[in-house]
Amino acid sequence: MTSSGVFLRGNVSSITTLLIGLFFFLSIPSQIGISESTDLSGVNSRTMPYLIASAIILLSLYTIVSNIFANRKVETVKSNDEPNEITSYGRVFLAFVAIALWIVIVPYLGFNITTIMLVTTIMIIIGKCRWWQIAIVALALSFPINYLLAAVLKVYLPSGSVFG
Amino acid sequence: MFENFLYAISVVFLWENIVLIIVGTAIGMVFGALPGLTVTLAVTLVLPFTFDLSPESGIILLTGVYCSGTYAGSISAILINTPGTPSSAATAWDGYPLTQKGRSLEALSVGLHASVIGGLISAVALIFFAPMLAKTALAFGPPERFALTFFGLTIIARVSGVSLSKGLISALFGLLIASVGVDPIMGVPRFSFNTFYLYGGVGMIEVFIGIFAIAEIFNQIGKRAVMAQHSKSDSQTKTIRWKEIVPHYWTVVKSSVIGIIIGVVPGTGGSIASFIAYDEAKRSSKEPELFGKGSLEGIAAAESANNGVTAATLIPTLTLGIPGNTVAAIFLGALLIHGLTPGPQLFVNQGGLMYTIMVSFIMANIVMYFQGRLALKWFDKIVNIPSSILLPIILTMCLVGAYTISNSLNGVIVALIFGCVGYAMIKFEYPSAPMVIAIILGGMVEESMRQSLILSDGSPMIFLTRPLSLAFFVLTIFVTFSPMVIKQWKKRRNGGGQA
């Protein structure tokens, strides 16, 4: 891997926090208005967000710089380490998509059907379960929860415009 | 004080509140016993269901979940060598070797008794010390409040992760999230991005559900966690007895006090307490060679310490508004949702509620003891529920919980976004506790800072000219830089020694 690649890989989180800090810092004038009549002693609605965003930028820069120095020190002794734990980001992404789709579809198909679909998908993504387990868990988490919330707590989950 | 105490007893012993404690302890026990599920997750998921209850009943339910969840982490630690909660890690060192020797019930028995005693001593400490501290805190003005919250956030950032800068960045993002919505002093909208939902700020509970629960679900799915099968225990054949704890009585008391002292310090928690108490028990034990190989004394020390933290951590939460750990932060959130502002005034205005919390801790520990005894036979089965069944159940509870808060899908969207944020934080080793606590304290930090600056006509010297405020800032600097100075000093000394 090239040195710039190593730099990006080691600092991806700090670069992200730096960019988010910069984004919030630059968006303060457009996102937070100030009223001159209520501007007391130079302290206004923008003071705290400016302080916080500046601190995030400074700390992110500090982390990046200290990582560079730390990498230089360990570069000579570092071997081809294998990660201890393999993470399947594909499965995490599929789970995210399944939840996002639940949010999109639930107003149309209602809680029961979308929850059956979601639970089935998640159980298939995780794996190591039988079809009857999927059927029981999916059914148990949809209709009974919907009924219990409505009957006991008077909380009504979406019934769906298609069926409603 | 006495009237408040009587009021608290009359409230806690209402039949509906007793039912809530029983339900709460049962939920906490199941969550605590299952590896990968935490007490924080349990309290977060139960929180939306307290909105329809009175503040007293809501807090009673949460107390039950908290106390038994903290204890139940020891069950899976002892039976399958997998701590149900991080604070039970020390319990596994001695608990599992005992299970392998066929003495699991003895280990579980000591764990239960030590937890109950630790929890009860902690509750008594809360009853006696919280009102005293609240009286002192009444003298705090805006500069002192700002300095104190600043100190609390720094110490939480310092101790909750491997890197101070990551802890501080996490806390700063929490403050940034807290600033979203209408400015509390001037009424100006901030970071709303022309979205009506954000005018009210980012929902606290939705953020908790995202960061703690959905992030953990992603983490478990990514890791493809499978619950390990454990060896058959002897829980069917014996009963739990008090006599097993008697030889370790002094260890239990000492470890409970260690738990209380550590619990009072914001940002610490059961994990640190249990390791320190375990270490101290080993140091002073007559049989230190048994530690790590199956010492009942080791289990007693670790369990009484982590339960000693439970009520003690609420002392700074209730009196100063500084949560001791993430569960205390959620308690704080629950009080705010019910329209109660934590701090010394709460003891003046809501004395009855304060004592209800304290008495409910005692009650929760008693209920937990009987439930623990009854449920022990079933734990073998519970801890073996596969993650393929467990995770969809928790996910559905998260989605329902996030929806019910605002009765709209906006809450679910926020929870999902923060689930992704929380997952990224896990992967990049950013601690979530400082962020969550900063979200809760954000309003107080900003309000006290701006009030102070208005009082001083914009001069920041107000924070350094008032003795208490100055003391907190000096403490903040000490806490932040002392570990670095000590590290450098040790490095130089070792270097000098070698040369």
Side-chain angles (χ1 to χ4, degrees), chain A residues 9-157:
Chain A
R9 211 178 117 182
N11 290 296
V12 67
S13 64
S14 304
I15 293 169
T16 311
T17 55
L18 175 69
L19 291 175
I20 297 171
L22 276 171
F23 168 75
F24 274 98
F25 189 90
L26 296 173
S27 64
I28 286 169
S30 62
Q31 286 299 319
I32 306 173
I34 42 169
S35 165
E36 287 302 321
S37 60
T38 51
D39 188 359
L40 303 162
S41 314
V43 187
N44 56 44
S45 310
R46 290 178 179 177
T47 312
M48 195 70 174
Y50 266 130
L51 285 172
I52 299 166
S54 310
I56 290 172
I57 294 166
L58 288 172
L59 274 169
S60 304
L61 283 171
Y62 165 78
T63 313
I64 292 168
V65 172
S66 56
N67 275 351
I68 292 169
F69 280 106
N71 282 343
R72 271 187 195 166
K73 280 178 191 169
V74 296
E75 220 163 30
T76 49
V77 288
K78 205 174 179 182
S79 61
N80 293 328
D81 291 336
E82 286 297 321
N84 293 329
E85 190 179 84
I86 297 164
T87 304
S88 170
Y89 290 106
R91 268 206 301 267
V92 176
F93 178 71
L94 283 175
F96 168 79
V97 172
I99 300 169
L101 279 174
W102 184 89
I103 295 170
V104 174
I105 297 171
V106 80
Y108 304 105
L109 294 184
F111 176 80
N112 293 333
I113 291 173
T114 41
T115 303
I116 289 173
M117 287 159 66
L118 174 72
V119 171
T120 306
T121 313
I122 296 289
M123 288 182 82
I124 290 169
I125 291 169
I126 298 169
K128 293 193 176 177
C129 47
R130 297 175 185 188
W131 67 266
W132 57 267
Q133 285 178 326
I134 296 175
I136 290 172
V137 175
L139 285 172
L141 289 174
S142 51
F143 294 97
I145 285 187
N146 200 354
Y147 175 76
L148 267 175
L149 282 172
V152 180
L153 296 173
K154 307 287 173 214
V155 172
Y156 299 98
L157 298 167

Side-chain angles (χ1 to χ4, degrees), chain B residues 286-297:
Chain B
K286 286 174 187 162
E287 298 169 316
E289 70 282 354
L290 280 181
F291 279 69
K293 293 171 190 159
S295 164
L296 288 172
E297 198 177 354

